[in-house]
Amino acid sequence: MVSTYDELIQQQAQAAVRVMDAHHSSWNHQTGLLAAGDSSRGKVRWDHSINYHASVLDDLRKMFATAGQEHDSETLERYREAMRVVFHENGSGRFGCGYGGGQVGLVGMEVGRGVCC
């Protein structure tokens, strides 16, 4: 179970591997911020790191800092979107199906197994 922001960041790839029934993740355990002018929410880099928009990381930090408190639907939607971005960036990336012997993005799967984008 993940109960802190730091735990989420450390376990993000393994969670995607488990959910997608994948073989492995090629995430290099490095995260960073996207450039201030970049409108993306997250991007996988060729070096297998993930850069997130500052608002995604801010929402995740707030989510864990206020765990157990009641939130309005707008706040819950922001938290949900931040989690979706994390999962998406771990499960997809710049590589197509079959690239590198079955790798898809940061999560490596055998061709024909799991979800392929």
Side-chain angles (χ1 to χ4, degrees):
M1 181 164 158
V2 173
S3 59
T4 68
Y5 168 82
D6 290 333
E7 288 175 359
L8 173 68
I9 294 302
Q10 290 305 310
Q11 294 184 29
Q12 62 182 336
Q14 288 308 311
V17 166
R18 285 189 301 271
V19 168
M20 297 174 83
D21 193 26
H23 180 263
H24 68 282
S25 170
S26 60
W27 177 51
N28 69 8
H29 297 272
Q30 300 297 311
T31 58
L33 290 176
L34 290 171
D38 195 322
S39 63
S40 299
R41 307 280 287 150
K43 285 185 180 174
V44 175
R45 298 178 43 95
W46 285 108
D47 67 358
H48 301 275
S49 64
I50 304 174
N51 285 359
Y52 293 109
H53 191 277
S55 65
V56 170
L57 299 182
D58 289 344
D59 284 339
L60 293 172
R61 285 184 184 102
K62 288 175 189 171
M63 180 180 74
F64 284 106
T66 61
Q69 297 178 16
E70 194 167 320
H71 300 289
D72 60 29
S73 59
E74 182 180 318
T75 300
L76 292 173
E77 187 58 37
R78 282 196 332 270
Y79 295 165
R80 182 173 132 175
E81 174 63 13
M83 289 297 297
R84 187 200 64 76
V85 169
V86 169
F87 185 75
H88 173 81
E89 295 309 326
N90 276 279
S92 66
R94 298 178 182 267
F95 309 121
C97 265
Y99 179 86
Q103 280 189 308
V104 178
L106 293 180
V107 176
M109 296 177 279
E110 296 171 15
V111 175
R113 181 176 177 214
V115 177
C116 187
C117 44

